[in-house]
Amino acid sequence: MNYQSDPRIVLTLDAGGTNFVFSALQGYRQIVKPIRKAAVPDDVGQCLKQIEEGFLDVSRHLAAPPVAISFAFPGPADYEHGVIGDLPNLKAFRGGVPLGPWLRQRFGMPVYINNDGNLFAYGEAIAGILPEVNAELQKRQPHRRYRHLLGITLGTGFGAGVVVDGHLLTGDNGCGGDVWLMRNARHPHLIAEESVSIRAVCRVYQERSGTRDTTLTPRDICAIADGTRPGNPQAAQESFRQLGQACGEAIATALDIVDGIVVIGGGLTGASRHIMPAVMKALRGSLATLDGTRLPILQSHVYNWDNPAERQAFLSVGTRQIAVPGTALTAPYAEQKALCVATSTSGASTSIMRGAYAYALSQLDSR
C-alpha cells in the first residue's frame, strides 16, 4: 500500500491532556496549518465541543471534502468501537465516552481511532524505516526483503505497535503490542514502563545524584550527561543506561514473536546516544540452558542501523549456495539471520499522522 500520491483527504487529531491539535493530510502531507484548541479535561460536553469545532475549522480550509477522520487517542479504550475509557489526564472521559460513534454522527463519515504506538508503527511501516531499509536492500540484494516491524515509543510511557506484512496487529481485544506491561528486567516485580519512561529517567537521576530538584526534565538530564549543564554526569548517563537496558530486554522478548525490523521514536530519542548502547547490549545478550550452555537471547543478529558501519554490515548479509546431495543442483542458504534497530528519522508525531492517514485509507479500501 502506497498512499504517497493519493488524492483523498483525512482529518487528523493530535490529542494531549492539555491541547488538541487538528490537521488534515493528503498523500502523507499536511495540507493545512494545524489548529490548536484547549482540551478542557474536566467537562465532557465542552471537550467534545472543542473536538467538533477543531475538525470544522480544519474542514473550512480544504478544497475538497475529507473521506474520513483518523487519529490517535490515549487509552484505555475500546478502539474497535471508538469508545474512550478512564483516562488519567482527561477526567471528562471517565466511565466511557463513545467518541467514534459521536464523531460519525456529527460528520457523516468513517472515524478510526487507535493508540499512538500502533499508528507510529504503521506510519513507519508504510512510509518510514521499513521502505527505507528495503530500498537500500533493493540496490544490493533484490530478493531480500523485510515485511514485519516493531515500533517502539519512548516518552511519557512505553508504547509499541506491530505491523505484520502490511497489517496492523491490534489483537482480539485491541491489546496487540502492549509492551508496557511486560515484566521489568531490572525490577521483576514491576511493569517495564516503570523503567522505560520519562518518570523513570527523572527518578533514577534523583536517586543516583542525591538531588531533590524535581524540575529537571529528561532534556536537562541529557545535557548533564553530555557535560553541557551542571550536575552529576555519571548519574545522568546511568539513568539513560538503565532505561536502555529495560527497553532492550522488552524488545528482545517481543522480537521472539514478531521477528522484524525495530524502529524507536518518541521524545526520549533525543538522548538515543545514551540509550542505544544499552539497548544493543541487551539485544545481544545470552541465556543458559540447564546444562550451562549459553545461547543468544535472539536467533537473529541485531545491527544498529544508525551506525554507518553496522548498517553496511547488515545490508551485506546474504545467502550462499550449497549443493543438493546427489544432484548438480544448489540451494540458497541464509546462514545468518539478521535484523536491525533504528531510531525514527521522521519523528513520532509525523509517523503517527502518516499512520492514521494510511490506516483510514486501508480500512476504506478493504470494504
Side-chain angles (χ1 to χ4, degrees):
M1 295 174 288
N2 187 350
Y3 299 113
Q4 191 74 44
S5 302
D6 200 292
R8 288 174 289 183
I9 298 171
V10 174
L11 300 179
T12 66
L13 162 64
D14 182 0
T18 304
N19 292 294
F20 292 152
V21 183
F22 302 84
S23 188
L25 267 66
Q26 183 181 48
Y28 298 136
R29 304 181 311 278
Q30 287 195 76
I31 57 173
V32 299
K33 183 178 179 180
I35 293 173
R36 184 181 301 269
K37 290 187 178 291
V40 194
D42 298 320
D43 186 320
V44 66
Q46 288 299 313
C47 193
L48 292 177
K49 182 179 179 181
Q50 292 289 76
I51 292 174
E52 180 181 21
E53 290 182 354
F55 283 129
L56 286 172
D57 287 349
V58 169
S59 298
R60 294 186 185 101
H61 293 85
L62 301 177
V67 298
I69 295 172
S70 183
F71 57 92
F73 209 85
D78 177 356
Y79 291 113
E80 181 180 357
H81 299 111
V83 179
I84 306 304
D86 293 351
L87 302 182
N89 59 346
L90 286 170
K91 296 179 181 179
F93 287 84
R94 293 287 172 89
V97 174
L99 180 58
W102 182 81
L103 284 169
R104 281 195 295 273
Q105 188 273 329
R106 306 296 277 191
F107 288 89
M109 68 180 74
V111 177
Y112 303 101
I113 307 175
N114 223 307
N115 67 54
D116 56 357
N118 281 347
L119 294 182
F120 169 73
Y122 201 64
E124 289 286 345
I126 298 295
I129 189 62
L130 197 58
E132 179 185 337
V133 168
N134 285 330
E136 289 297 316
L137 285 171
Q138 175 67 32
K139 302 172 185 177
R140 298 165 173 79
Q141 302 182 53
H143 301 296
R144 185 178 163 208
R145 285 290 178 278
Y146 286 81
R147 303 187 307 278
H148 313 313
L149 177 137
L150 171 65
I152 297 290
T153 55
L154 305 178
T156 303
F158 182 25
V162 176
V163 179
V164 178
D165 204 9
H167 300 281
L168 184 62
L169 174 65
T170 54
D172 288 328
N173 295 289
C175 299
D178 276 1
V179 297
W180 67 282
L181 277 171
M182 284 184 173
R183 191 177 298 278
N184 189 314
R186 294 192 55 80
H187 308 283
H189 62 294
L190 298 177
I191 63 172
E193 189 173 272
E194 289 302 318
S195 288
V196 190
S197 55
I198 286 173
R199 65 182 181 275
V201 172
C202 297
R203 172 181 54 78
V204 174
Y205 180 73
Q206 290 168 19
E207 291 172 352
R208 292 284 175 149
S209 66
T211 183
R212 296 185 179 181
D213 186 353
T214 59
T215 66
L216 291 173
T217 66
R219 184 186 294 272
D220 299 328
I221 296 169
C222 183
I224 294 170
D226 290 335
T228 59
R229 180 186 174 113
N232 186 323
Q234 290 76 29
Q237 292 162 12
E238 178 64 11
S239 69
F240 290 114
R241 189 199 69 79
Q242 288 192 19
L243 181 146
Q245 178 192 3
C247 178
E249 296 284 355
I251 290 173
T253 301
L255 284 179
D256 281 328
I257 303 298
V258 178
D259 187 22
I261 299 299
V262 179
V263 60
I264 302 175
L268 288 174
T269 55
S272 62
R273 57 194 172 279
H274 300 298
I275 295 171
M276 285 303 293
V279 170
M280 298 307 300
K281 183 177 180 180
L283 293 174
R284 292 167 179 167
S286 63
L287 293 171
T289 61
L290 284 173
D291 65 6
T293 303
R294 302 297 299 185
L295 295 174
I297 199 169
L298 291 170
Q299 292 192 62
S300 300
H301 183 78
V302 184
Y303 295 85
N304 185 347
W305 181 262
D306 298 340
N307 180 294
E310 289 198 31
R311 180 187 300 193
Q312 291 307 312
F314 168 78
L315 293 170
S316 299
V317 173
T319 60
R320 64 184 178 91
Q321 296 294 319
I322 59 173
V324 178
T327 75
L329 303 175
T330 61
Y333 176 29
E335 191 169 11
Q336 183 190 115
K337 304 177 192 299
L339 296 174
C340 68
V341 180
T343 53
S344 173
T345 56
S346 302
S349 180
T350 296
S351 291
I352 289 168
M353 284 195 297
R354 288 175 175 173
Y357 178 79
Y359 185 75
L361 296 189
S362 71
Q363 293 300 298
L364 291 174
D365 292 344
S366 66
R367 286 182 169 183

